[in-house]
């Protein structure tokens, strides 16, 4: 940069600082008179007897001439007249390859309170999804190391899949398994709204040292303010986007989208939005597509995304589950009945689908997968008759075949937590099961 350009840059800098004062606090919301700012801007609220502690907050709305602020952290020692400083910018995080193996918060700071590594790049946490005309089609599969997914629900590089399940059905264990076994270049894992106890459990037990060595984990626990939980989702997505723009194939996992929606509902209600379906505010259904569309393919690399969705009472048609299922490129349903029988992963194959599978697998693979689904469906439709002895062998050739295959199909669908299967091994096992009836 020459001297003239440098002088032009300096002339363009805004040398003013803008301040306001806290007027009142209502519930989660802080109302201040000033400063001049825009929606999404980061501000600092000075608290304490000497006004030395500053609390980060975001501008989430306006009321008359006042600014509505939502704090990122728990606010203490706040009083009328506390100073509010505007930064005139949105939240930015630092990201780079030196973060791999770290566990960070929504601000990008390491949770073990160590200092940030050197050589990181500053990026905004909230970005726009890629231009749809610049998204390459999904043409190549990605290995996740789980036999039932690789063979029957094949996932493509850049595909976005929902994992739908109630609590305690094995979502975290399945996510840890995928992160350890996948052939993606890097994992980015967001734990949003998790219980504090579960964070270390997931990192040490489900993810393990092998998985953490190739992962970046972003955490916002359930006790943190709603804005912090939402920003954790945005920060994790920004980290994944950074590595995608470097040309890498990123495996992105978020647990869970439902808790992001709940956090946005808290903010929406605090701002004054009217509650709609099941108490969710309109802004919830506005941010979900914007957040989920940020992953996928672009001209540089891919983000293959798995989003977990908590379904209340195993109701697959509740508002968030229904909305997310309509946005994503496939869904995997974890069935409590299968989990109760000791089947892991407890994936209900007949209720799950990969919308891009037919474009990325061979005809032989597709035919074998369809045949297995057909056999499983035939057996389950006649299961009651078979169990009570009302079905007589020889009455139906299809049911007889399904009865013969069923025990082997169940064995095929099961996989131990620490068993790693390559995609090639999974497809060979599927073909062998269908062609020779052996597994």
């Amino acid at each position: 940069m020459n001297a003239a350009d440098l002088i032009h840059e300096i002339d363009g800098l805004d040398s003013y600082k803008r301040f306001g004062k806290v007027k009142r606090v209502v519930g989660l919301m802080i109302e201040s008179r000033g400063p001049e700012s825009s929606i999404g801007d980061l501000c600092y609220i000075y608290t304490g007897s000497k006004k030395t502690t500053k609390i980060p907050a975001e501008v989430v709305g306006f009321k008359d001439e006042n600014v509505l602020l939502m704090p990122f952290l728990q606010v203490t020692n706040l009083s009328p007249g506390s100073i509010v400083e505007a930064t005139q910018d949105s939240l930015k995080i630092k990201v780079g390859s030196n973060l791999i193996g770290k566990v960070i918060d929504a601000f990008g700071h390491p949770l073990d309170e160590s200092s940030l590594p050197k050589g990181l790049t500053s990026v905004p946490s909230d970005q726009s999804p890629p231009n749809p005309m610049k998204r390459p089609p999904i043409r190549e599969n990605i290995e996740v190391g789980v036999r039932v997914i690789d063979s029957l629900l094949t996932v493509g590089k850049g595909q976005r899949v929902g994992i739908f399940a109630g609590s305690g059905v094995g979502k975290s264990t399945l996510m840890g398994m995928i992160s350890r076994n996948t052939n993606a270049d890097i994992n980015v894992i967001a734990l949003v709204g998790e219980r504090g106890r579960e964070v270390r459990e997931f990192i040490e037990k489900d993810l393990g040292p092998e998985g953490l060595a190739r992962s970046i984990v972003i955490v916002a626990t359930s006790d943190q303010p709603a804005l912090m939980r939402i920003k954790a989702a945005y920060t994790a997505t920004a980290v994944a986007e950074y590595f995608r723009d470097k040309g890498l194939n990123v495996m992105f996992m978020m647990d869970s989208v439902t808790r992001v929606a709940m956090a946005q509902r808290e903010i929406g209600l605090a701002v004054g939005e009217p509650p709609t379906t099941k108490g969710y505010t309109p802004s919830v259904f506005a941010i979900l597509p914007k957040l989920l569309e940020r992953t996928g393919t672009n001209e540089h690399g891919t983000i293959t995304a798995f989003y977990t969705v908590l379904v209340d009472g195993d109701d697959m048609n509740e508002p968030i589950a229904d909305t997310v299922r309509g946005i994503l490129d496939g869904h995997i349903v974890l069935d409590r009945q299968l989990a109760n029988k000791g089947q892991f992963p407890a994936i209900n194959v007949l209720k799950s689908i990969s919308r891009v599978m037919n474009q990325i697998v061979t005809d032989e693979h597709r035919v074998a997968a369809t045949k297995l689904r057909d056999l499983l469906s035939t057996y389950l439709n006649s299961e009651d008759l078979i169990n009570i002895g009302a079905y007589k062998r020889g009455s139906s050739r299809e049911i007889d075949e399904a009865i013969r295959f069923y025990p082997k199909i169940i064995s095929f669908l099961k996989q131990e937590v620490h068993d790693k299967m390559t995609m090639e091994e999974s497809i060979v096992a599927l073909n062998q099961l269908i062609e020779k009836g052996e597994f």
Side-chain angles (χ1 to χ4, degrees):
M1 184 181 287
N2 57 39
D5 290 336
L6 194 59
I7 291 169
H8 181 72
E9 284 287 323
I10 292 170
D11 287 341
L13 290 175
D14 186 354
S15 57
Y16 290 96
K17 280 196 172 184
R18 292 165 174 80
F19 296 94
K21 286 187 176 181
V22 170
K23 185 178 178 185
R24 63 175 181 167
V25 178
V26 181
L28 303 173
M29 204 63 57
I30 297 170
E31 199 172 313
S32 72
R33 191 179 299 281
E36 182 186 333
S37 53
S38 306
I39 292 283
D41 279 1
L42 179 68
C43 293
Y44 290 105
I45 305 169
Y46 289 86
T47 64
S49 56
K50 296 183 179 179
K51 309 293 184 189
T52 53
T53 304
K54 59 180 186 179
I55 302 292
E58 184 175 293
V59 178
V60 294
F62 304 99
K63 186 176 182 181
D64 300 326
E65 299 298 317
N66 297 326
V67 178
L68 299 179
L69 298 159
M70 176 75 76
F72 282 97
L73 307 173
Q74 208 70 36
V75 177
T76 55
N77 299 324
L78 187 66
S79 57
S82 291
I83 300 296
V84 180
E85 178 190 350
T87 64
Q88 301 286 294
D89 206 354
S90 60
L91 177 67
K92 285 187 167 59
I93 56 158
K94 290 184 179 291
V95 62
S97 56
N98 291 338
L99 271 186
I100 298 172
K102 296 278 187 184
V103 182
I104 61 176
D105 64 12
F107 291 115
H109 301 148
L111 276 187
D112 60 4
E113 298 181 349
S114 62
S115 57
L116 272 172
K118 303 291 184 185
L120 302 181
T121 304
S122 186
V123 297
S125 65
D126 190 1
Q127 301 180 46
S128 299
N131 184 326
M133 294 305 292
K134 293 183 178 179
R135 284 187 185 267
I138 299 169
R139 293 281 183 259
E140 193 178 345
N141 59 49
I142 189 167
E143 183 180 298
V144 299
V146 180
R147 183 167 52 228
V148 62
I149 298 177
D150 282 339
S151 59
L152 302 176
L153 302 163
T154 311
V155 175
K157 287 181 180 176
Q159 186 176 351
R160 299 158 306 142
V161 182
I163 300 176
F164 293 77
S167 55
V169 189
K171 296 185 305 299
S172 297
T173 308
L174 181 60
M175 283 173 54
M177 199 170 172
I178 291 170
S179 61
R180 290 193 310 271
N181 297 346
T182 181
N183 64 354
D185 298 316
I186 184 175
N187 300 314
V188 178
I189 304 170
L191 303 178
V192 181
E194 286 287 326
R195 292 181 283 272
R197 173 186 63 80
E198 292 182 329
V199 174
R200 262 189 90 169
E201 270 189 21
F202 174 79
I203 292 167
E204 294 177 3
K205 180 184 168 187
D206 296 324
L207 189 58
E210 177 190 353
L212 184 60
R214 55 202 296 261
S215 305
I216 300 173
V217 184
I218 298 89
V219 175
T221 51
S222 57
D223 60 295
Q224 293 181 319
L227 192 59
M228 199 71 162
R229 282 175 268 146
I230 288 179
K231 285 303 173 185
Y234 280 77
T235 294
T237 308
V239 171
E241 288 168 327
Y242 171 85
F243 288 103
R244 176 181 62 186
D245 291 343
K246 295 291 182 184
L248 301 182
N249 295 312
V250 182
M251 179 62 72
F252 179 76
M253 284 171 274
M254 184 183 293
D255 184 15
S256 71
V257 173
T258 309
R259 293 191 181 115
V260 174
M262 288 176 174
Q264 181 59 38
R265 176 172 63 182
E266 283 182 44
I267 293 174
L269 291 172
V271 172
E273 283 187 73
T276 53
T277 315
K278 281 205 171 179
Y280 288 104
T281 56
S283 61
V284 173
F285 302 101
I287 71 156
L288 283 177
K290 186 182 175 187
L291 177 63
L292 303 182
E293 285 288 344
R294 285 172 62 182
T295 54
T297 61
N298 73 358
E299 63 268 36
H300 306 294
T302 66
I303 300 174
T304 307
F306 285 88
Y307 295 96
T308 69
V309 183
L310 285 167
V311 286
D312 292 335
D314 298 321
D315 176 16
M316 287 292 295
N317 296 314
E318 61 97 25
I320 299 304
D322 207 35
T323 301
V324 171
R325 191 167 55 242
I327 297 169
L328 300 179
D329 310 316
H331 52 272
I332 294 170
V333 178
L334 301 187
D335 194 315
R336 191 176 299 280
Q337 288 186 336
L338 296 179
N340 291 341
K341 291 178 183 176
Q343 180 176 323
F344 179 82
I347 296 174
N348 189 322
V349 173
L350 300 181
K351 290 184 179 178
S352 306
I353 191 168
S354 169
R355 292 181 183 167
V356 305
M357 179 175 173
N358 289 344
Q359 285 88 53
I360 59 175
V361 300
T362 63
D363 289 340
E364 182 187 15
H365 180 180
R366 179 177 51 79
V367 168
T370 304
K371 177 67 175 174
L372 188 145
R373 283 174 173 270
D374 185 46
L375 288 167
L376 186 58
S377 175
T378 301
Y379 182 88
L380 293 178
N381 287 337
S382 310
E383 188 174 25
D384 290 341
L385 292 175
I386 295 166
N387 288 341
I388 64 173
Y391 174 75
K392 291 183 179 179
R393 286 181 183 262
S395 302
S396 166
R397 187 172 59 83
E398 289 82 6
I399 297 177
D400 287 345
E401 188 182 24
I403 292 171
R404 182 166 60 86
F405 271 91
Y406 184 71
K408 293 166 186 173
I409 290 174
I410 295 303
S411 296
F412 177 82
L413 298 179
K414 289 182 179 179
Q415 185 174 342
E416 292 296 325
V417 174
H418 293 286
D419 284 354
K420 181 175 180 178
M421 297 285 294
T422 65
M423 177 166 279
E424 187 178 349
E425 288 171 340
S426 298
I427 296 169
V428 167
L430 173 65
N431 289 329
Q432 188 173 336
L433 173 61
I434 298 302
E435 291 171 10
K436 301 180 180 177
E438 297 175 0
F439 181 71

